[in-house]
Amino acid sequence: MTTPSAPIPNSNTASSSPTISTSSVFNFEDADVTLRSSNGVDFHVHRWPLSKASPFFAALFSLPQAYSTTVGQRITCDMSEDSQTTELLLAFCYPRSLCEEPLLDDITDVERALTLAKKFDLNFVIRPAERALERIAATTPDLVYAMAWRYELSRIVRLAALASLEHPFLPHATTSSFAGVPAEALVQLWGYRMTRVAEAIKPLKDVGLPITWIRQTDIVIGPRLSPEGNTCSCAHVTLSFKDKPEGVSIKGWWWAFVCELVDQLDTFPRDTITLNTRGVLRRAMSIAGDCCVCRDSMAVDALNLTANLLQKEAYRRIKEIPYETPF
């Protein structure tokens, strides 16, 4: 537990900083303590919810020297936090019957919450802060990664690293959010994007490995011989599938389609792990169109299904990449 060193109880109001205003939310008539923010806003509140929620306040309020005042006199505690942060602290500490759980709408609010959790031993604040970071990671994963590393949130570090694959590398690295983030954290993220993802993806285009993410029977792309007796002129490759482990001859343009999609993920730098099938699909269909058998087959449906299943398999493999942290 953090040793109480702040806020400072102060019963001598004459020596305290002048009050600018009083909180409109936390202003109870029966309050027995006043928290005065660093910018001079008074919060007239109760000791009991603070003591129950925070071991820090429980220890602080138990110090006899802090409350050697006359009966009925309200203690004033000068806070180092500003009014926004103090109000957030109280909103977390008071029961939900009196106030709703704070909405951590942006990363600044989350940092306030995590700072309060660390200083005042509010462990229950960690979970809502993590939920907010999960949401924010979709748009600014590098900022979430930096914050999660600084506050030692290993699960969020891994989640942010994964989300960062849909964005350029560290677009906010020069901001103050990265102050205090060790170099090892950035080097690890770089290695994850550059090599670990490639290692997970490369087996998807290894002709010697069985294909487990799609069944051969799902690839309806025409036989070698059409009903009219025309022979397929396409190159073929022998591949094994989970439903055809012994191996089966598959159209070469289908396998080229798969390999080209995998190459998108195996290229660095990359700003996304979402497959772009437009050009690849057009090239595959152009090759199939040169064949009198394949041009009339259900090639486009088979290729779209292939791309969808390949995307899911690639994401599954990337998601399973271990991401170690020192905490």
Side-chain angles (χ1 to χ4, degrees), residues 175-208:
T175 67
S176 59
S177 298
F178 281 82
V181 178
E184 67 173 300
L186 309 184
V187 171
Q188 183 170 339
L189 183 60
W190 174 266
Y192 170 76
R193 291 170 63 98
M194 185 170 69
T195 60
R196 301 297 297 279
V197 170
E199 290 169 359
I201 293 302
K202 279 183 179 178
L204 290 174
K205 62 175 184 177
D206 190 334
V207 71

mmCIF file of all heavy atoms in Angstrom, residues 175-208:
data_model
loop_
_atom_site.group_PDB
_atom_site.id
_atom_site.type_symbol
_atom_site.label_atom_id
_atom_site.label_comp_id
_atom_site.label_asym_id
_atom_site.label_seq_id
_atom_site.Cartn_x
_atom_site.Cartn_y
_atom_site.Cartn_z
ATOM 1 N N THR A 175 5.548 12.428 -29.251
ATOM 2 C CA THR A 175 4.719 13.125 -28.269
ATOM 3 C C THR A 175 5.145 12.747 -26.857
ATOM 4 O O THR A 175 5.888 11.790 -26.630
ATOM 5 C CB THR A 175 3.231 12.781 -28.468
ATOM 6 O OG1 THR A 175 3.030 11.387 -28.155
ATOM 7 C CG2 THR A 175 2.803 13.034 -29.907
ATOM 8 N N SER A 176 4.626 13.504 -25.896
ATOM 9 C CA SER A 176 4.982 13.273 -24.493
ATOM 10 C C SER A 176 4.463 11.936 -23.975
ATOM 11 O O SER A 176 4.909 11.465 -22.926
ATOM 12 C CB SER A 176 4.430 14.412 -23.627
ATOM 13 O OG SER A 176 3.015 14.496 -23.748
ATOM 14 N N SER A 177 3.535 11.322 -24.685
ATOM 15 C CA SER A 177 2.984 10.037 -24.246
ATOM 16 C C SER A 177 4.047 8.953 -24.168
ATOM 17 O O SER A 177 3.887 7.969 -23.442
ATOM 18 C CB SER A 177 1.869 9.588 -25.197
ATOM 19 O OG SER A 177 0.799 10.504 -25.196
ATOM 20 N N PHE A 178 5.134 9.125 -24.919
ATOM 21 C CA PHE A 178 6.178 8.107 -24.933
ATOM 22 C C PHE A 178 7.302 8.401 -23.940
ATOM 23 O O PHE A 178 8.267 7.642 -23.863
ATOM 24 C CB PHE A 178 6.741 7.950 -26.347
ATOM 25 C CG PHE A 178 5.866 7.116 -27.237
ATOM 26 C CD1 PHE A 178 4.767 7.675 -27.858
ATOM 27 C CD2 PHE A 178 6.108 5.767 -27.417
ATOM 28 C CE1 PHE A 178 3.934 6.911 -28.663
ATOM 29 C CE2 PHE A 178 5.285 4.988 -28.212
ATOM 30 C CZ PHE A 178 4.192 5.562 -28.840
ATOM 31 N N ALA A 179 7.168 9.488 -23.197
ATOM 32 C CA ALA A 179 8.155 9.772 -22.159
ATOM 33 C C ALA A 179 8.077 8.679 -21.093
ATOM 34 O O ALA A 179 7.008 8.358 -20.595
ATOM 35 C CB ALA A 179 7.891 11.138 -21.544
ATOM 36 N N GLY A 180 9.193 8.114 -20.767
ATOM 37 C CA GLY A 180 9.218 7.057 -19.767
ATOM 38 C C GLY A 180 9.047 5.660 -20.319
ATOM 39 O O GLY A 180 9.158 4.680 -19.571
ATOM 40 N N VAL A 181 8.763 5.542 -21.617
ATOM 41 C CA VAL A 181 8.659 4.214 -22.232
ATOM 42 C C VAL A 181 10.071 3.756 -22.599
ATOM 43 O O VAL A 181 10.764 4.444 -23.349
ATOM 44 C CB VAL A 181 7.770 4.245 -23.487
ATOM 45 C CG1 VAL A 181 7.711 2.865 -24.134
ATOM 46 C CG2 VAL A 181 6.368 4.723 -23.131
ATOM 47 N N PRO A 182 10.530 2.619 -22.096
ATOM 48 C CA PRO A 182 11.906 2.192 -22.374
ATOM 49 C C PRO A 182 12.103 1.815 -23.835
ATOM 50 O O PRO A 182 11.161 1.411 -24.527
ATOM 51 C CB PRO A 182 12.083 0.971 -21.464
ATOM 52 C CG PRO A 182 10.702 0.451 -21.246
ATOM 53 C CD PRO A 182 9.812 1.661 -21.234
ATOM 54 N N ALA A 183 13.343 1.930 -24.282
ATOM 55 C CA ALA A 183 13.662 1.603 -25.673
ATOM 56 C C ALA A 183 13.331 0.151 -25.993
ATOM 57 O O ALA A 183 12.933 -0.170 -27.117
ATOM 58 C CB ALA A 183 15.139 1.882 -25.941
ATOM 59 N N GLU A 184 13.466 -0.735 -25.013
ATOM 60 C CA GLU A 184 13.195 -2.152 -25.267
ATOM 61 C C GLU A 184 11.753 -2.379 -25.706
ATOM 62 O O GLU A 184 11.463 -3.280 -26.496
ATOM 63 C CB GLU A 184 13.491 -2.987 -24.022
ATOM 64 C CG GLU A 184 12.559 -2.712 -22.855
ATOM 65 C CD GLU A 184 12.759 -3.666 -21.694
ATOM 66 O OE1 GLU A 184 12.585 -4.878 -21.891
ATOM 67 O OE2 GLU A 184 13.085 -3.180 -20.601
ATOM 68 N N ALA A 185 10.832 -1.544 -25.213
ATOM 69 C CA ALA A 185 9.427 -1.688 -25.595
ATOM 70 C C ALA A 185 9.228 -1.371 -27.069
ATOM 71 O O ALA A 185 8.452 -2.040 -27.764
ATOM 72 C CB ALA A 185 8.558 -0.770 -24.741
ATOM 73 N N LEU A 186 9.925 -0.359 -27.569
ATOM 74 C CA LEU A 186 9.795 0.040 -28.967
ATOM 75 C C LEU A 186 10.520 -0.941 -29.884
ATOM 76 O O LEU A 186 10.028 -1.271 -30.964
ATOM 77 C CB LEU A 186 10.339 1.454 -29.153
ATOM 78 C CG LEU A 186 9.785 2.514 -28.187
ATOM 79 C CD1 LEU A 186 10.323 3.889 -28.539
ATOM 80 C CD2 LEU A 186 8.261 2.514 -28.193
ATOM 81 N N VAL A 187 11.675 -1.411 -29.438
ATOM 82 C CA VAL A 187 12.419 -2.406 -30.220
ATOM 83 C C VAL A 187 11.608 -3.691 -30.340
ATOM 84 O O VAL A 187 11.548 -4.318 -31.406
ATOM 85 C CB VAL A 187 13.790 -2.687 -29.573
ATOM 86 C CG1 VAL A 187 14.477 -3.870 -30.246
ATOM 87 C CG2 VAL A 187 14.676 -1.448 -29.653
ATOM 88 N N GLN A 188 10.960 -4.077 -29.261
ATOM 89 C CA GLN A 188 10.157 -5.301 -29.291
ATOM 90 C C GLN A 188 8.976 -5.161 -30.243
ATOM 91 O O GLN A 188 8.651 -6.095 -30.986
ATOM 92 C CB GLN A 188 9.656 -5.631 -27.886
ATOM 93 C CG GLN A 188 8.874 -6.941 -27.820
ATOM 94 C CD GLN A 188 8.590 -7.377 -26.400
ATOM 95 O OE1 GLN A 188 9.270 -6.963 -25.463
ATOM 96 N NE2 GLN A 188 7.587 -8.209 -26.227
ATOM 97 N N LEU A 189 8.335 -4.000 -30.246
ATOM 98 C CA LEU A 189 7.212 -3.782 -31.150
ATOM 99 C C LEU A 189 7.676 -3.802 -32.605
ATOM 100 O O LEU A 189 6.997 -4.354 -33.478
ATOM 101 C CB LEU A 189 6.530 -2.453 -30.830
ATOM 102 C CG LEU A 189 5.281 -2.124 -31.658
ATOM 103 C CD1 LEU A 189 4.201 -3.187 -31.463
ATOM 104 C CD2 LEU A 189 4.740 -0.741 -31.302
ATOM 105 N N TRP A 190 8.836 -3.223 -32.865
ATOM 106 C CA TRP A 190 9.399 -3.241 -34.221
ATOM 107 C C TRP A 190 9.670 -4.677 -34.675
ATOM 108 O O TRP A 190 9.316 -5.073 -35.787
ATOM 109 C CB TRP A 190 10.680 -2.422 -34.259
ATOM 110 C CG TRP A 190 11.422 -2.494 -35.566
ATOM 111 C CD1 TRP A 190 12.442 -3.331 -35.896
ATOM 112 C CD2 TRP A 190 11.185 -1.689 -36.727
ATOM 113 N NE1 TRP A 190 12.867 -3.108 -37.178
ATOM 114 C CE2 TRP A 190 12.108 -2.101 -37.717
ATOM 115 C CE3 TRP A 190 10.291 -0.669 -37.023
ATOM 116 C CZ2 TRP A 190 12.163 -1.524 -38.981
ATOM 117 C CZ3 TRP A 190 10.343 -0.087 -38.285
ATOM 118 C CH2 TRP A 190 11.267 -0.517 -39.242
ATOM 119 N N GLY A 191 10.279 -5.459 -33.805
ATOM 120 C CA GLY A 191 10.564 -6.846 -34.147
ATOM 121 C C GLY A 191 9.303 -7.660 -34.356
ATOM 122 O O GLY A 191 9.245 -8.530 -35.237
ATOM 123 N N TYR A 192 8.293 -7.374 -33.570
ATOM 124 C CA TYR A 192 7.003 -8.057 -33.712
ATOM 125 C C TYR A 192 6.406 -7.785 -35.088
ATOM 126 O O TYR A 192 5.956 -8.695 -35.786
ATOM 127 C CB TYR A 192 6.075 -7.564 -32.607
ATOM 128 C CG TYR A 192 4.628 -7.981 -32.718
ATOM 129 C CD1 TYR A 192 4.219 -9.266 -32.395
ATOM 130 C CD2 TYR A 192 3.659 -7.059 -33.119
ATOM 131 C CE1 TYR A 192 2.879 -9.636 -32.471
ATOM 132 C CE2 TYR A 192 2.319 -7.417 -33.195
ATOM 133 C CZ TYR A 192 1.935 -8.707 -32.870
ATOM 134 O OH TYR A 192 0.616 -9.061 -32.953
ATOM 135 N N ARG A 193 6.430 -6.533 -35.501
ATOM 136 C CA ARG A 193 5.856 -6.160 -36.793
ATOM 137 C C ARG A 193 6.702 -6.670 -37.957
ATOM 138 O O ARG A 193 6.168 -7.073 -38.994
ATOM 139 C CB ARG A 193 5.732 -4.633 -36.885
ATOM 140 C CG ARG A 193 4.698 -4.028 -35.956
ATOM 141 C CD ARG A 193 4.818 -2.515 -35.932
ATOM 142 N NE ARG A 193 4.559 -1.929 -37.233
ATOM 143 C CZ ARG A 193 3.389 -1.401 -37.609
ATOM 144 N NH1 ARG A 193 2.369 -1.407 -36.768
ATOM 145 N NH2 ARG A 193 3.235 -0.869 -38.804
ATOM 146 N N MET A 194 8.022 -6.653 -37.795
ATOM 147 C CA MET A 194 8.905 -6.943 -38.920
ATOM 148 C C MET A 194 9.149 -8.435 -39.115
ATOM 149 O O MET A 194 9.149 -8.927 -40.248
ATOM 150 C CB MET A 194 10.245 -6.229 -38.734
ATOM 151 C CG MET A 194 11.191 -6.389 -39.918
ATOM 152 S SD MET A 194 12.647 -5.334 -39.830
ATOM 153 C CE MET A 194 13.508 -6.085 -38.458
ATOM 154 N N THR A 195 9.364 -9.172 -38.037
ATOM 155 C CA THR A 195 9.767 -10.573 -38.184
ATOM 156 C C THR A 195 8.765 -11.571 -37.626
ATOM 157 O O THR A 195 8.515 -12.602 -38.242
ATOM 158 C CB THR A 195 11.131 -10.807 -37.508
ATOM 159 O OG1 THR A 195 11.031 -10.484 -36.112
ATOM 160 C CG2 THR A 195 12.199 -9.942 -38.149
ATOM 161 N N ARG A 196 8.183 -11.277 -36.456
ATOM 162 C CA ARG A 196 7.316 -12.274 -35.835
ATOM 163 C C ARG A 196 6.068 -12.535 -36.667
ATOM 164 O O ARG A 196 5.621 -13.678 -36.805
ATOM 165 C CB ARG A 196 6.914 -11.826 -34.420
ATOM 166 C CG ARG A 196 8.082 -11.593 -33.473
ATOM 167 C CD ARG A 196 8.869 -12.874 -33.211
ATOM 168 N NE ARG A 196 8.087 -13.892 -32.555
ATOM 169 C CZ ARG A 196 7.854 -13.927 -31.248
ATOM 170 N NH1 ARG A 196 8.343 -12.988 -30.452
ATOM 171 N NH2 ARG A 196 7.142 -14.908 -30.724
ATOM 172 N N VAL A 197 5.490 -11.485 -37.234
ATOM 173 C CA VAL A 197 4.303 -11.657 -38.075
ATOM 174 C C VAL A 197 4.657 -12.454 -39.324
ATOM 175 O O VAL A 197 3.932 -13.366 -39.728
ATOM 176 C CB VAL A 197 3.700 -10.288 -38.442
ATOM 177 C CG1 VAL A 197 2.625 -10.444 -39.520
ATOM 178 C CG2 VAL A 197 3.111 -9.621 -37.205
ATOM 179 N N ALA A 198 5.797 -12.127 -39.937
ATOM 180 C CA ALA A 198 6.222 -12.849 -41.143
ATOM 181 C C ALA A 198 6.431 -14.331 -40.853
ATOM 182 O O ALA A 198 6.061 -15.196 -41.656
ATOM 183 C CB ALA A 198 7.502 -12.225 -41.692
ATOM 184 N N GLU A 199 7.025 -14.632 -39.702
ATOM 185 C CA GLU A 199 7.256 -16.031 -39.333
ATOM 186 C C GLU A 199 5.939 -16.792 -39.184
ATOM 187 O O GLU A 199 5.853 -17.979 -39.516
ATOM 188 C CB GLU A 199 8.048 -16.094 -38.028
ATOM 189 C CG GLU A 199 9.496 -15.625 -38.164
ATOM 190 C CD GLU A 199 10.170 -15.459 -36.817
ATOM 191 O OE1 GLU A 199 9.496 -15.687 -35.781
ATOM 192 O OE2 GLU A 199 11.357 -15.102 -36.788
ATOM 193 N N ALA A 200 4.919 -16.114 -38.683
ATOM 194 C CA ALA A 200 3.625 -16.771 -38.495
ATOM 195 C C ALA A 200 2.889 -16.978 -39.811
ATOM 196 O O ALA A 200 2.114 -17.928 -39.961
ATOM 197 C CB ALA A 200 2.763 -15.946 -37.539
ATOM 198 N N ILE A 201 3.149 -16.103 -40.780
ATOM 199 C CA ILE A 201 2.405 -16.112 -42.039
ATOM 200 C C ILE A 201 3.038 -17.005 -43.107
ATOM 201 O O ILE A 201 2.342 -17.650 -43.892
ATOM 202 C CB ILE A 201 2.286 -14.661 -42.571
ATOM 203 C CG1 ILE A 201 1.406 -13.831 -41.642
ATOM 204 C CG2 ILE A 201 1.734 -14.636 -43.974
ATOM 205 C CD1 ILE A 201 0.010 -14.388 -41.471
ATOM 206 N N LYS A 202 4.355 -17.076 -43.140
ATOM 207 C CA LYS A 202 5.048 -17.777 -44.227
ATOM 208 C C LYS A 202 4.575 -19.208 -44.467
ATOM 209 O O LYS A 202 4.480 -19.650 -45.624
ATOM 210 C CB LYS A 202 6.557 -17.751 -43.979
ATOM 211 C CG LYS A 202 7.219 -16.451 -44.397
ATOM 212 C CD LYS A 202 8.726 -16.505 -44.185
ATOM 213 C CE LYS A 202 9.382 -15.202 -44.629
ATOM 214 N NZ LYS A 202 10.848 -15.217 -44.393
ATOM 215 N N PRO A 203 4.276 -19.997 -43.425
ATOM 216 C CA PRO A 203 3.831 -21.380 -43.685
ATOM 217 C C PRO A 203 2.569 -21.476 -44.540
ATOM 218 O O PRO A 203 2.306 -22.527 -45.130
ATOM 219 C CB PRO A 203 3.586 -21.933 -42.273
ATOM 220 C CG PRO A 203 4.485 -21.130 -41.393
ATOM 221 C CD PRO A 203 4.476 -19.757 -41.985
ATOM 222 N N LEU A 204 1.807 -20.393 -44.643
ATOM 223 C CA LEU A 204 0.568 -20.434 -45.425
ATOM 224 C C LEU A 204 0.834 -20.583 -46.920
ATOM 225 O O LEU A 204 -0.066 -20.949 -47.681
ATOM 226 C CB LEU A 204 -0.253 -19.163 -45.172
ATOM 227 C CG LEU A 204 -0.876 -19.034 -43.780
ATOM 228 C CD1 LEU A 204 -1.525 -17.666 -43.606
ATOM 229 C CD2 LEU A 204 -1.907 -20.135 -43.548
ATOM 230 N N LYS A 205 2.060 -20.294 -47.363
ATOM 231 C CA LYS A 205 2.368 -20.453 -48.787
ATOM 232 C C LYS A 205 3.437 -21.520 -49.019
ATOM 233 O O LYS A 205 4.065 -21.552 -50.073
ATOM 234 C CB LYS A 205 2.805 -19.116 -49.394
ATOM 235 C CG LYS A 205 4.073 -18.521 -48.808
ATOM 236 C CD LYS A 205 4.474 -17.266 -49.577
ATOM 237 C CE LYS A 205 5.794 -16.705 -49.060
ATOM 238 N NZ LYS A 205 6.228 -15.524 -49.837
ATOM 239 N N ASP A 206 3.617 -22.390 -48.040
ATOM 240 C CA ASP A 206 4.576 -23.493 -48.167
ATOM 241 C C ASP A 206 3.877 -24.666 -48.844
ATOM 242 O O ASP A 206 2.978 -25.293 -48.274
ATOM 243 C CB ASP A 206 5.093 -23.897 -46.788
ATOM 244 C CG ASP A 206 6.262 -24.871 -46.863
ATOM 245 O OD1 ASP A 206 6.359 -25.600 -47.876
ATOM 246 O OD2 ASP A 206 7.065 -24.912 -45.917
ATOM 247 N N VAL A 207 4.291 -24.966 -50.069
ATOM 248 C CA VAL A 207 3.634 -26.013 -50.845
ATOM 249 C C VAL A 207 3.817 -27.387 -50.215
ATOM 250 O O VAL A 207 3.056 -28.324 -50.491
ATOM 251 C CB VAL A 207 4.172 -26.005 -52.297
ATOM 252 C CG1 VAL A 207 5.608 -26.506 -52.340
ATOM 253 C CG2 VAL A 207 3.278 -26.797 -53.226
ATOM 254 N N GLY A 208 4.797 -27.519 -49.339
ATOM 255 C CA GLY A 208 5.053 -28.815 -48.721
ATOM 256 C C GLY A 208 4.229 -29.083 -47.479
ATOM 257 O O GLY A 208 4.274 -30.194 -46.936
#
